[in-house]
Amino acid sequence: MRIVMISQNDPAGMGIAFTMAINRYSSHSCRLITTETRYNFGFEKDLHLPNLTEQGLDEARDILEQADLFHFHLLADEHMNLGPINISDYTKGKKIIHHHHGHPHFRANPGHYREKYKRLGRKTLVSTPDLLHLLPEATWIPNLVDIDDPLLMPTPEPEGNTVVIGHSPTRKDLKNTADLEQVVSVLERRRDLPPLHLRIIENRPHRLCLAEKRHCHLIFDHMQGYYGVSSLESLSQGRPVVAGLDEWNIGQIKAFTGSESLPWIIARNTDQLGHALASLAVDSERRQQLGQEARTFMEGCWHPRRIVRRLSEWYGKV
């Protein structure tokens, strides 16, 4: 099957990640068309509208013409224009699906999208289990990371006495960054703990962010109830990850992976966060053990091959 993914910006790099994984691990072929860049993380691109020459636009037309399935990310749909190209000219008789990643407009107006997809008779995907509360008819297909990428392979802990806590928020207001800073500031005054350093990694190209996270001893994701791509990257790197997964998300992840043991260190409030960070800071052996378990989990339960197999099975039912 020939698949074309279309999105305004690439959400957390998942458009290109899925495109490459589908081409690598399935019999399908996939291309990605994007129309804008946000946050400037430097994710790899396929066909990016601002960069396209007339020859590139012709290639985009060919891809749309030949596509069997249109996979729209975020708020994209067939009524978008790709410069002079009207997508709806190419969708008649084709399969169309929508993939939501938690865009603020979707979170604020889920009823609008539920009604739209019901009226059009379209199937939908969500990127994290919490979004099923907003779109119960959807299927959750997890985000993926290329665990075999050299920057996502495990490395030994950084040397030195200072324990580095990493945090890579796209938007601090959504990632409990202020809570983390407050907790660390209290821990830094405790004499029973080693020196601590909070490394907030932001406004960096994605690959530089991955490189910096390898110089951390442990990672904090956020306490919003679900997990971010930051979690997956750091688990793949063999680092302990602290996050505030709620029972719903934990249950959904266990059901998907078939594993009763998940690698996240759970902290749902600042008290739990302080306890988790303090206990990890003083115990290098535990950090290393948790890191090894995290990498094993990603290899066995979250390998891109496994995610793509589930997605391919779902495509077959559209």
Side-chain angles (χ1 to χ4, degrees), residues 23-131:
N23 289 328
R24 184 180 302 169
Y25 298 115
S26 81
S27 60
H28 306 303
S29 64
C30 187
R31 298 296 300 271
L32 171 68
I33 302 175
T34 48
T35 65
E36 64 183 67
T37 298
R38 298 182 67 187
Y39 305 117
N40 231 358
F41 290 149
F43 295 121
E44 190 173 339
K45 295 177 174 60
D46 186 3
L47 292 177
H48 186 56
L49 186 62
N51 299 340
L52 296 186
T53 62
E54 190 59 43
Q55 182 178 0
L57 289 171
D58 287 341
E59 183 180 6
R61 291 185 182 96
D62 289 342
I63 290 169
L64 296 174
E65 179 67 37
Q66 297 170 18
D68 301 303
L69 184 147
F70 284 72
H71 184 144
F72 289 110
H73 289 274
L74 295 170
L75 308 183
D77 63 19
E78 68 271 29
H79 301 297
M80 283 175 54
N81 289 330
L82 302 174
I85 302 173
N86 188 339
I87 297 174
S88 63
D89 291 341
Y90 299 87
T91 55
K92 186 176 180 179
K94 308 290 184 70
K95 297 180 179 182
I96 299 175
I97 67 103
H98 298 268
H99 194 160
H100 280 281
H101 299 260
H103 188 284
H105 190 272
F106 168 70
R107 287 187 180 275
N109 303 277
H112 166 79
Y113 293 95
R114 291 187 67 188
E115 190 281 329
K116 173 182 175 179
Y117 303 139
K118 181 179 180 181
R119 173 170 46 86
L120 295 173
R122 292 186 183 166
K123 292 188 179 294
T124 52
L125 298 173
V126 291
S127 61
T128 52
D130 62 296
L131 297 178

Side-chain angles (χ1 to χ4, degrees), residues 17-315:
F18 271 102
T19 297
M20 296 172 67
I22 288 169
N23 289 328
R24 184 180 302 169
Y25 298 115
S26 81
S27 60
H28 306 303
S29 64
C30 187
R31 298 296 300 271
L32 171 68
I33 302 175
T34 48
T35 65
E36 64 183 67
T37 298
R38 298 182 67 187
Y39 305 117
N40 231 358
F41 290 149
F43 295 121
E44 190 173 339
K45 295 177 174 60
D46 186 3
L47 292 177
H48 186 56
L49 186 62
N51 299 340
L52 296 186
T53 62
E54 190 59 43
Q55 182 178 0
L57 289 171
D58 287 341
E59 183 180 6
R61 291 185 182 96
D62 289 342
I63 290 169
L64 296 174
E65 179 67 37
Q66 297 170 18
D68 301 303
L69 184 147
F70 284 72
H71 184 144
F72 289 110
H73 289 274
L74 295 170
L75 308 183
D77 63 19
E78 68 271 29
H79 301 297
M80 283 175 54
N81 289 330
L82 302 174
I85 302 173
N86 188 339
I87 297 174
S88 63
D89 291 341
Y90 299 87
T91 55
K92 186 176 180 179
K94 308 290 184 70
K95 297 180 179 182
I96 299 175
I97 67 103
H98 298 268
H99 194 160
H100 280 281
H101 299 260
H103 188 284
H105 190 272
F106 168 70
R107 287 187 180 275
N109 303 277
H112 166 79
Y113 293 95
R114 291 187 67 188
E115 190 281 329
K116 173 182 175 179
Y117 303 139
K118 181 179 180 181
R119 173 170 46 86
L120 295 173
R122 292 186 183 166
K123 292 188 179 294
T124 52
L125 298 173
V126 291
S127 61
T128 52
D130 62 296
L131 297 178
L132 292 172
H133 291 306
L134 305 180
L135 197 61
E137 301 85 359
T139 297
W140 169 49
I141 295 291
N143 287 333
L144 55 80
V145 295
D146 182 5
I147 68 171
D148 298 319
D149 185 306
L151 284 175
L152 289 167
M153 296 291 286
T155 54
E157 274 202 343
E159 297 181 356
N161 296 325
T162 300
V163 174
V164 181
I165 302 166
H167 178 55
S168 56
T170 302
R171 289 180 54 185
K172 290 181 177 180
D173 57 320
L174 299 178
K175 302 297 182 180
N176 298 103
T177 304
D179 293 323
L180 174 64
E181 291 174 324
Q182 179 184 7
V183 167
V184 173
S185 70
V186 172
L187 296 179
E188 286 175 329
R189 297 193 291 268
R190 285 179 47 175
R191 295 185 178 182
D192 60 325
L193 299 180
L196 303 177
H197 172 66
L198 175 58
R199 177 175 289 184
I200 296 180
I201 307 166
E202 56 182 339
N203 301 321
R204 303 277 201 285
H206 180 238
R207 296 194 69 77
L208 181 57
C209 173
L210 293 180
E212 289 195 32
K213 287 169 78 171
R214 299 176 85 180
H215 296 287
C216 302
H217 294 80
L218 59 135
I219 299 293
F220 171 71
D221 192 350
H222 57 72
M223 295 186 292
Q224 298 297 313
Y226 54 100
Y227 64 89
V229 174
S230 175
S231 273
L232 304 179
E233 293 169 347
S234 299
L235 293 173
S236 179
Q237 291 176 325
R239 294 293 186 264
V241 176
V242 180
L245 275 66
D246 61 24
E247 292 300 331
W248 164 265
N249 281 271
I250 290 173
Q252 293 293 314
I253 295 169
K254 286 182 176 180
F256 182 89
T257 62
S259 174
E260 279 300 313
S261 178
L262 303 185
W264 285 270
I265 297 94
I266 305 300
R268 299 190 178 112
N269 55 53
T270 53
D271 287 343
Q272 293 177 1
L273 178 59
H275 176 76
L277 297 180
S279 63
L280 288 169
V282 298
D283 195 339
S284 174
E285 288 188 6
R286 180 166 178 256
R287 291 196 304 267
Q288 293 178 55
Q289 178 185 351
L290 289 170
Q292 291 171 0
E293 293 172 356
R295 176 66 191 188
T296 299
F297 174 83
M298 292 299 290
E299 291 173 346
C301 299
W302 219 285
H303 194 285
R305 182 185 295 105
R306 193 168 192 262
I307 308 298
V308 168
R309 183 171 65 248
R310 293 287 189 96
L311 178 60
S312 294
E313 292 170 355
W314 185 84
Y315 278 153

